[in-house]
Amino acid sequence: MKEEEREIKTSLPENANRELKPGEKYEPLLSPLKEYSEVNVWSVSWGLIMAVLFSAAAAYLGLKVGQVFEAAIPIAIIAVGLSSSFKRKNALGENVIIQSIGASSGVIVAGAIFTLPALYILQAKYPELGVSFWQIFLSSLLGGVLGILFLIPFRKYFVADMHGKYPFPEATATTQVLVSGEKGGNQAKPLIFAGLIGGLYDFVASTFGLWNETITSRMTMTGEAFAEKYKIVFKINSGAAVLGLGYIIGLKYAIIICAGSFFVWFLIIPLMAALMGDVVLNQWNPSITTPLGAMSPELLFTSYARQIGIGGIAMAGVIGIVKSWSIIKGAIGLATNEMKGKNTSKNVNQLRTERDLSMKFIAIASIITLILIFLFFYFGVIHNLLYAIIGLLLVATIAFLFTTVAANAIAIVGTNPVSGMTLMTLILSSVVLVAVGLKGTSGMLAALIMGGVVCTALSMAGGFITDLKVGYWIGTSPYKQQAWKFLGTIVSAATVGGVIMILNKTYGFTSGSLAAPQANAMAAVIEPLMSGTGAPWLLYGIGAILALILTLLKVPALAFALGMFIPLELNTPLLVGGLISWFVSTRSTDKDLNKARLDKGTLLASGFIAGGALMGVVSAAMRFGGLDLVNEEWLEKNGSQLAGLFMYIILISYFVWDSMRAKKEN
C-alpha cells in the first residue's frame, strides 16, 4: 500500500518561476518523501486514448495549415475534467501521466508531417519512388524513441539546474491547468474564465472567420504601397493563445525574438529588393524565375531571408553544444560508470522526484535503437551497406547534438524550430549522400526518411522537456514519465502513419484541402539537391556569422535566430504580451501587489493558451468532418482586418483590466 498524503498543496511555491537564492531549495506540490498515485490502469488507458485522438486531429490540422497545435494543454484540461467527473481524489499525479503519455501525439505529428508527406508529393512526380506504411511508422517510432533517450540525460540540467532562468511558457500553462483543476472552487475561476474567453475568441475567428486572425499594414493604401514599393510590411496575429504565450515568455525574450524578426523584415528584405531588384537568385532552386524586385515581401522571406534564420539557428545550436559540452560529457561519463557497475548506491538513495531511468538502461537502449535504425535504413530504405552506415552516422550525430537546441528553444519561446533544423538536416544529408554517389529518387527517399527520423527525435526532445518540467514543478516521478512515454510514442507513431496514408488517398498533398505546406517546401528543396544543384550556403553563412556576433555581445543568439525564422505575425504578439506583463507588474510601488497582478496575469495567459489550444482541436474536428464555415471572401477584404484589430484591442484591454484587479494575499 502506498502512503498517500491526504492534503496536497494546491498552489505552486513562490519560488517556482524565479531563480533560487544561494542555499534555497524548490519544494514541489507533491512531497518527494511520500508516494502518490501516478501510473495505474486509469492514467495509462486515458493517456493512450488521448494519444490516438490527438494524433489524428493534429495530423489533419498540420497538413492543412502547416502548423501543429500543442496537445499537452488540451489533454491536461480533459484529464482534469475526467478526474473531477469521476470524483477521483488526489489525482494530480495521475493527470500528469495522462498528459505526458497523450502529449506524445503532438510531437510525433510535428516530426512526421514536416517531412514524410513529401514522399507522396515526390511519388506523384516519380512513380518509381515507393512509400509504405512501415517506412512512415518506423521513422516516426525510432525517431521518437531516440528523442526520449537522448533527452533524459539533460533533464536535470534544464528543469532543475536552470530553474527560473527559462520561462517555459507551455509548461507554465499546462501546470496552471493541472494545479487549478486540483484546487477547484474559486481559486480555479480566473483560469477557467480566461480559458472560455480565449477559447471562444480564437474559435470564432478560426471557425467562422468573423474577423481576420492576421492584421497587416496592407489593409491601408499607404501600407500596400510600402509593401509593393519598399517591401516593408507589418503583421500581427490577433489570437488569444499567442498573446498569452507572449505574456508568459516575458518582455526580455520577447524583445530579443522580435529584434530578430524586425531585422529580417525591416532591413534584410527591403535591402535585398533595393540592391538586387533585377537579379534572379535561383542557384539552389531553379524553380525560382522571378527577380527579387518583383517578389512580395512574403515571398522574399520564404525564399531567402528565412534561410538566414536557419543558419542562425544552426550556429546558435553549435554554440549551445559547445557551452553545454561539460554536461554532455558528464552524461556520457555517468552512463560509462553505470555500465561498469559504479554509482549504483547513489540511485538507491535518490528521492523519487530526482530519479531518472538508469543511465545503464539509456545507454543500452540507445545502442539497440541505433542498431534498429541501421537495419531499417539497410533493409527498408537504402539497401546499400555504405549508404546505410553513413545515414546512421548522420542521424545519430545530428539528433544527439541538436537535442539540447530543441529543448532550449521550447524552454525559451515555447516553439520548437524543428522544421528549420530538419531542413538543415535534409540539406546536409543530401550533400553527403550525393558526394558518396546516392542520387535521384533513391537519394530523395533516403534523405526524407533520415530527415523524418531526425525531425521526430528533435520534436520529441523539445516536447518531452515540457512534460518533465511540469512533473518537476508538481513533484511527480520522472522515471515513471520517461518509462511510459515510450508506450505513448508507439501508439502515436502507428496512428500518424495510418492517418497520413488515409489522408493522402482521400485528399492528396499537392493541392486542394490538404496542401501540406511544410512538406511541399521540403520536397522543393530536396529535389534539386538530389539532381545536383546546391544549397543557399551564403545565406546560412550570414545567419551563422550573425549568431557568433550576438554571442560575443552576450545576446541570446537562439532567441534572435528564432525570430528570424518564425513568421513575423507570430512574433509581434509575443512583444505585446511581454509589454502587458511588464505593465501590470510595475504600476505600483508595492512589490507584493505587483507580484499579485503578475501572477493573476499568468493565470489569465495560461487560460488564453489552454482555451485557444482546446478550441483548435474542436475547429480541426469540424473541418475534418467537412464543416467549413469560414467566409473566405470576407477575409480577403480590409474590413476583416479592421474587425480583427478592434477585437484585439478589446481582448488586450480585458487582459490588462483583469490582471490589475488582483489583490495581494494576506
Side-chain angles (χ1 to χ4, degrees):
M1 287 289 291
K2 294 179 180 178
E3 182 194 351
E4 192 152 327
E5 191 176 27
R6 292 296 173 191
E7 296 296 327
I8 295 175
K9 290 181 286 185
T10 54
S11 293
L12 285 177
E14 176 273 333
N15 60 2
N17 298 104
R18 64 166 174 81
E19 293 185 42
L20 301 177
K21 299 170 185 174
E24 186 182 10
K25 287 186 67 178
Y26 173 73
E27 295 293 338
L29 269 66
L30 305 181
S31 171
L33 303 175
K34 296 181 180 292
E35 292 288 333
Y36 300 87
S37 178
E38 295 180 60
V39 175
N40 51 37
V41 174
W42 169 272
S43 59
V44 173
S45 299
W46 278 112
L48 293 177
I49 291 169
M50 295 297 105
V52 172
L53 293 177
F54 279 82
S55 292
Y60 173 77
L61 190 66
L63 291 167
K64 173 80 174 177
V65 299
Q67 296 291 329
V68 178
F69 60 79
E70 297 297 344
I73 296 169
I75 291 170
I77 295 170
I78 294 171
V80 167
L82 287 168
S83 61
S84 176
S85 299
F86 287 87
K87 296 181 170 54
R88 295 185 72 84
K89 298 294 183 182
N90 300 334
L92 201 49
E94 294 177 345
N95 289 342
V96 170
I97 294 296
I98 293 173
Q99 177 269 322
S100 187
I101 294 174
S104 303
S105 56
V107 292
I108 292 292
V109 167
I113 67 162
F114 288 161
T115 51
L116 300 177
L119 292 169
Y120 290 107
I121 294 165
L122 290 169
Q123 188 183 43
K125 191 172 182 180
Y126 305 100
E128 69 273 18
L129 198 156
V131 188
S132 71
F133 165 81
W134 290 105
Q135 288 173 331
I136 298 173
F137 168 65
L138 288 174
S139 63
S140 298
L141 173 62
L142 293 171
V145 170
L146 205 61
I148 296 170
L149 293 169
F150 282 178
L151 179 75
I152 292 172
F154 302 105
R155 181 197 68 85
K156 183 176 180 293
Y157 170 76
F158 280 106
V159 306
D161 296 350
M162 299 298 287
H163 179 88
K165 295 180 181 178
Y166 291 135
F168 274 103
E170 191 190 345
T172 299
T174 306
T175 305
Q176 290 287 2
V177 168
L178 293 170
V179 173
S180 296
E182 191 70 16
K183 288 178 184 178
N186 292 330
Q187 296 180 74
K189 281 184 179 178
L191 184 135
I192 294 170
F193 193 66
L196 287 171
I197 290 175
L200 286 172
Y201 179 95
D202 282 359
F203 180 74
V204 170
S206 61
T207 307
F208 301 102
L210 295 190
W211 61 86
N212 207 313
E213 290 182 280
T214 303
I215 303 162
T216 78
S217 55
R218 287 179 181 273
M219 67 179 174
T220 65
M221 290 180 65
T222 305
E224 183 66 33
F226 261 77
E228 293 303 316
K229 187 174 182 180
Y230 301 110
K231 311 303 177 186
I232 294 175
V233 64
F234 179 83
K235 297 183 178 186
I236 186 167
N237 183 288
S238 63
V242 192
L243 180 67
L245 197 67
Y247 183 96
I248 293 174
I249 287 171
L251 188 57
K252 174 189 170 183
Y253 277 114
I255 287 174
I256 297 168
I257 292 161
C258 274
S261 203
F262 294 162
F263 174 77
V264 161
W265 283 88
F266 303 148
L267 185 64
I268 296 295
I269 289 175
L271 278 178
M272 286 184 72
L275 299 177
M276 298 185 290
D278 297 328
V279 177
V280 177
L281 200 60
N282 64 354
Q283 285 86 341
W284 58 87
N285 188 355
S287 65
I288 297 175
T289 56
T290 308
L292 271 67
M295 288 184 168
S296 66
E298 292 82 0
L299 190 56
L300 284 166
F301 172 70
T302 54
S303 301
Y304 306 107
R306 199 177 196 182
Q307 318 306 324
I308 298 174
I310 293 173
I313 290 170
M315 180 52 74
V318 172
I319 293 166
I321 291 162
V322 172
K323 285 184 174 180
S324 60
W325 190 248
S326 59
I327 303 160
I328 295 172
K329 283 199 303 182
I332 295 170
L334 185 60
T336 305
N337 287 335
E338 285 202 20
M339 292 287 281
K340 294 176 180 177
K342 301 177 183 178
N343 292 341
T344 52
S345 60
K346 181 182 174 183
N347 292 334
V348 172
N349 297 325
Q350 270 185 330
L351 293 172
R352 62 168 187 80
T353 52
E354 298 174 358
R355 199 181 310 151
D356 294 300
L357 292 176
S358 75
M359 289 302 300
K360 185 175 183 179
F361 169 82
I362 293 166
I364 294 172
S366 297
I367 292 168
I368 292 172
T369 304
L370 291 172
I371 291 170
L372 290 174
I373 290 173
F374 166 75
L375 294 174
F376 170 49
F377 285 172
Y378 183 66
F379 291 105
V381 183
I382 303 174
H383 311 292
N384 179 287
L385 184 61
L386 175 63
Y387 299 156
I389 292 172
I390 291 171
L392 174 66
L393 291 174
L394 284 168
V395 164
T397 304
I398 295 171
F400 181 70
L401 293 179
F402 277 89
T403 290
T404 54
V405 181
N408 210 355
I410 287 287
I412 293 172
V413 71
T415 303
N416 195 343
V418 66
S419 58
M421 290 187 286
T422 302
L423 191 56
M424 182 61 71
T425 300
L426 283 175
I427 292 167
L428 289 173
S429 301
S430 298
V431 168
V432 173
L433 291 174
V434 168
V436 296
L438 184 60
K439 300 179 182 179
T441 54
S442 299
M444 293 176 198
L445 176 65
L448 282 169
I449 293 290
M450 287 162 58
V453 174
V454 171
C455 190
T456 310
L458 298 180
S459 180
M460 175 59 76
F464 194 28
I465 200 65
T466 292
D467 301 340
L468 293 171
K469 185 64 177 180
V470 171
Y472 169 80
W473 272 327
I474 289 174
T476 53
S477 309
Y479 67 95
K480 292 181 181 177
Q481 283 182 278
Q482 293 158 8
W484 289 92
K485 193 71 172 179
F486 292 109
L487 184 59
T489 299
I490 294 170
V491 171
S492 297
T495 306
V496 168
V499 167
I500 287 177
M501 288 192 69
I502 291 168
L503 292 178
N504 176 61
K505 288 181 180 178
T506 307
Y507 300 105
F509 297 131
T510 52
S511 62
S513 58
L514 291 179
Q518 296 279 12
N520 271 286
M522 300 292 179
V525 167
I526 203 166
E527 187 178 1
L529 278 169
M530 280 297 170
S531 303
T533 51
W537 297 113
L538 177 61
L539 298 178
Y540 296 152
I542 293 170
I545 292 169
L546 189 60
L548 284 171
I549 294 170
L550 290 167
T551 303
L552 291 174
L553 296 174
K554 300 191 182 304
V555 176
L558 181 60
F560 192 92
L562 283 169
M564 292 192 289
F565 176 76
I566 297 169
L568 175 66
E569 62 269 25
L570 296 179
N571 289 327
T572 42
L574 302 183
L575 186 58
V576 176
L579 286 168
I580 293 172
S581 72
W582 167 80
F583 180 83
V584 301
S585 63
T586 56
R587 294 307 89 196
S588 174
T589 55
D590 187 333
K591 290 184 179 179
D592 291 335
L593 180 57
N594 282 335
K595 184 182 181 303
R597 289 170 173 173
L598 182 66
D599 291 346
K600 176 71 176 293
T602 301
L603 270 180
L604 298 176
S606 300
F608 282 178
I609 297 171
L614 192 61
M615 287 299 102
V617 179
V618 176
S619 185
M622 289 176 64
R623 293 188 184 192
F624 186 72
L627 192 61
D628 191 348
L629 304 174
V630 175
N631 187 341
E632 297 291 349
E633 187 178 341
W634 159 246
L635 290 180
E636 291 175 4
K637 296 179 179 179
N638 291 337
S640 68
Q641 294 189 43
L642 286 170
L645 181 61
F646 176 73
M647 293 302 298
Y648 197 46
I649 291 170
I650 291 176
L651 182 72
I652 292 169
S653 301
Y654 160 73
F655 197 173
V656 174
W657 170 76
D658 207 2
S659 299
M660 295 293 285
R661 289 199 308 148
K663 297 177 181 178
K664 61 181 181 180
E665 297 179 4
N666 295 326

Coordinates of all heavy atoms in Angstrom, one line a residue, residues 381-409:
V381 N 15.0 0.9 -46.7 CA 15.1 2.2 -47.4 C 16.2 2.2 -48.5 O 15.9 2.4 -49.7 CB 15.4 3.4 -46.4 CG1 15.4 4.7 -47.1 CG2 14.3 3.4 -45.3
I382 N 17.5 2.0 -48.1 CA 18.6 2.2 -49.0 C 19.1 1.0 -49.7 O 19.5 1.0 -50.8 CB 19.8 2.9 -48.2 CG1 19.2 4.2 -47.6 CG2 20.9 3.3 -49.2 CD1 20.3 4.9 -46.7
H383 N 19.2 -0.2 -48.9 CA 19.7 -1.5 -49.5 C 21.1 -1.4 -49.9 O 21.5 -2.0 -50.9 CB 18.8 -1.9 -50.6 CG 17.3 -1.9 -50.3 ND1 16.7 -2.7 -49.4 CD2 16.3 -1.1 -50.8 CE1 15.4 -2.5 -49.3 NE2 15.2 -1.5 -50.2
N384 N 21.9 -0.6 -49.2 CA 23.3 -0.5 -49.5 C 24.1 -0.3 -48.2 O 23.7 0.7 -47.4 CB 23.6 0.7 -50.5 CG 25.1 0.9 -50.8 OD1 25.8 1.3 -50.0 ND2 25.4 0.5 -52.0
L385 N 25.1 -1.1 -47.9 CA 25.7 -1.1 -46.6 C 26.4 0.3 -46.3 O 26.2 0.9 -45.2 CB 26.8 -2.2 -46.5 CG 27.5 -2.3 -45.2 CD1 26.5 -2.7 -44.1 CD2 28.6 -3.4 -45.3
L386 N 27.2 0.8 -47.3 CA 27.9 2.1 -47.1 C 26.9 3.2 -46.8 O 27.0 4.0 -45.9 CB 28.7 2.4 -48.3 CG 29.4 3.8 -48.3 CD1 30.4 3.9 -47.1 CD2 30.1 4.1 -49.6
Y387 N 25.8 3.3 -47.7 CA 24.9 4.4 -47.5 C 24.1 4.3 -46.2 O 23.8 5.3 -45.6 CB 23.8 4.4 -48.7 CG 24.5 4.5 -50.0 CD1 23.8 4.1 -51.2 CD2 25.7 5.2 -50.2 CE1 24.4 4.3 -52.4 CE2 26.2 5.4 -51.5 CZ 25.6 4.9 -52.6 OH 26.1 5.1 -53.8
A388 N 23.8 3.0 -45.8 CA 23.1 2.8 -44.5 C 24.0 3.3 -43.3 O 23.5 3.9 -42.4 CB 22.7 1.4 -44.4
I389 N 25.3 3.0 -43.4 CA 26.2 3.4 -42.3 C 26.3 4.9 -42.2 O 26.2 5.5 -41.2 CB 27.6 2.7 -42.5 CG1 27.5 1.2 -42.3 CG2 28.6 3.4 -41.5 CD1 28.8 0.5 -42.6
I390 N 26.4 5.5 -43.4 CA 26.5 7.0 -43.5 C 25.2 7.6 -43.0 O 25.3 8.6 -42.2 CB 26.8 7.5 -44.9 CG1 28.3 7.1 -45.3 CG2 26.6 9.0 -45.0 CD1 28.6 7.3 -46.7
G391 N 24.1 7.1 -43.4 CA 22.8 7.6 -42.9 C 22.7 7.5 -41.4 O 22.2 8.4 -40.7
L392 N 23.1 6.4 -40.8 CA 23.0 6.2 -39.4 C 23.9 7.2 -38.6 O 23.5 7.8 -37.7 CB 23.5 4.8 -39.0 CG 23.6 4.5 -37.5 CD1 22.2 4.5 -36.8 CD2 24.3 3.1 -37.3
L393 N 25.1 7.4 -39.1 CA 26.1 8.4 -38.5 C 25.5 9.8 -38.6 O 25.6 10.5 -37.6 CB 27.4 8.3 -39.2 CG 28.2 7.0 -39.0 CD1 29.5 7.0 -39.8 CD2 28.6 6.8 -37.5
L394 N 24.9 10.1 -39.7 CA 24.3 11.5 -39.8 C 23.2 11.7 -38.8 O 23.1 12.7 -38.1 CB 23.8 11.7 -41.3 CG 24.9 12.0 -42.3 CD1 24.3 11.9 -43.7 CD2 25.5 13.4 -42.1
V395 N 22.3 10.7 -38.8 CA 21.1 10.8 -38.0 C 21.5 10.8 -36.5 O 21.0 11.7 -35.7 CB 20.1 9.6 -38.2 CG1 19.1 9.5 -37.1 CG2 19.4 9.8 -39.5
A396 N 22.4 9.9 -36.1 CA 22.8 9.9 -34.7 C 23.5 11.1 -34.2 O 23.2 11.7 -33.1 CB 23.7 8.6 -34.4
T397 N 24.4 11.6 -35.0 CA 25.2 12.8 -34.7 C 24.3 14.1 -34.6 O 24.3 14.8 -33.6 CB 26.3 13.1 -35.7 OG1 27.1 11.9 -35.8 CG2 27.1 14.3 -35.3
I398 N 23.5 14.3 -35.6 CA 22.6 15.5 -35.7 C 21.6 15.4 -34.6 O 21.4 16.4 -33.8 CB 22.0 15.7 -37.0 CG1 23.0 15.9 -38.1 CG2 21.0 16.8 -37.0 CD1 22.5 15.9 -39.5
A399 N 20.9 14.3 -34.4 CA 19.9 14.2 -33.4 C 20.4 14.4 -32.0 O 19.8 15.1 -31.1 CB 19.2 12.8 -33.5
F400 N 21.6 13.8 -31.7 CA 22.2 13.9 -30.3 C 22.6 15.4 -30.1 O 22.3 15.9 -29.0 CB 23.4 13.0 -30.2 CG 24.0 13.1 -28.8 CD1 23.4 12.6 -27.7 CD2 25.3 13.6 -28.6 CE1 23.9 12.6 -26.4 CE2 25.8 13.7 -27.4 CZ 25.2 13.2 -26.3
L401 N 23.3 16.0 -31.0 CA 23.8 17.3 -30.8 C 22.7 18.4 -30.7 O 22.8 19.3 -29.9 CB 24.9 17.7 -31.9 CG 26.2 16.8 -31.9 CD1 27.1 17.3 -33.0 CD2 26.9 17.0 -30.5
F402 N 21.7 18.2 -31.5 CA 20.7 19.2 -31.5 C 19.5 19.0 -30.6 O 18.5 19.7 -30.5 CB 20.1 19.4 -33.0 CG 21.0 20.3 -33.8 CD1 22.0 19.8 -34.5 CD2 20.8 21.7 -33.8 CE1 22.8 20.6 -35.3 CE2 21.5 22.5 -34.6 CZ 22.6 22.0 -35.3
T403 N 19.6 17.9 -29.8 CA 18.6 17.6 -28.7 C 18.6 18.8 -27.8 O 17.5 19.3 -27.4 CB 19.0 16.4 -28.0 OG1 18.7 15.2 -28.8 CG2 18.1 16.2 -26.7
T404 N 19.7 19.3 -27.4 CA 19.8 20.4 -26.4 C 19.2 21.7 -27.0 O 18.6 22.6 -26.4 CB 21.2 20.7 -25.9 OG1 22.1 20.8 -27.0 CG2 21.7 19.5 -25.1
V405 N 19.4 21.9 -28.4 CA 18.9 23.1 -29.0 C 17.4 23.0 -29.0 O 16.7 24.1 -28.7 CB 19.4 23.1 -30.5 CG1 18.9 24.4 -31.2 CG2 20.9 23.1 -30.5
A406 N 16.8 21.9 -29.3 CA 15.3 21.8 -29.3 C 14.8 22.0 -27.9 O 13.8 22.8 -27.8 CB 14.9 20.4 -29.8
A407 N 15.4 21.5 -26.9 CA 14.9 21.7 -25.5 C 15.1 23.1 -25.1 O 14.2 23.7 -24.5 CB 15.7 20.8 -24.6
N408 N 16.2 23.7 -25.5 CA 16.4 25.1 -25.2 C 15.4 26.1 -25.8 O 14.9 27.0 -25.2 CB 17.8 25.5 -25.8 CG 18.5 26.6 -24.9 OD1 17.9 27.1 -24.0 ND2 19.7 26.9 -25.3
A409 N 15.0 25.8 -27.1 CA 14.0 26.6 -27.8 C 12.7 26.5 -27.1 O 12.0 27.5 -26.9 CB 13.9 26.2 -29.3

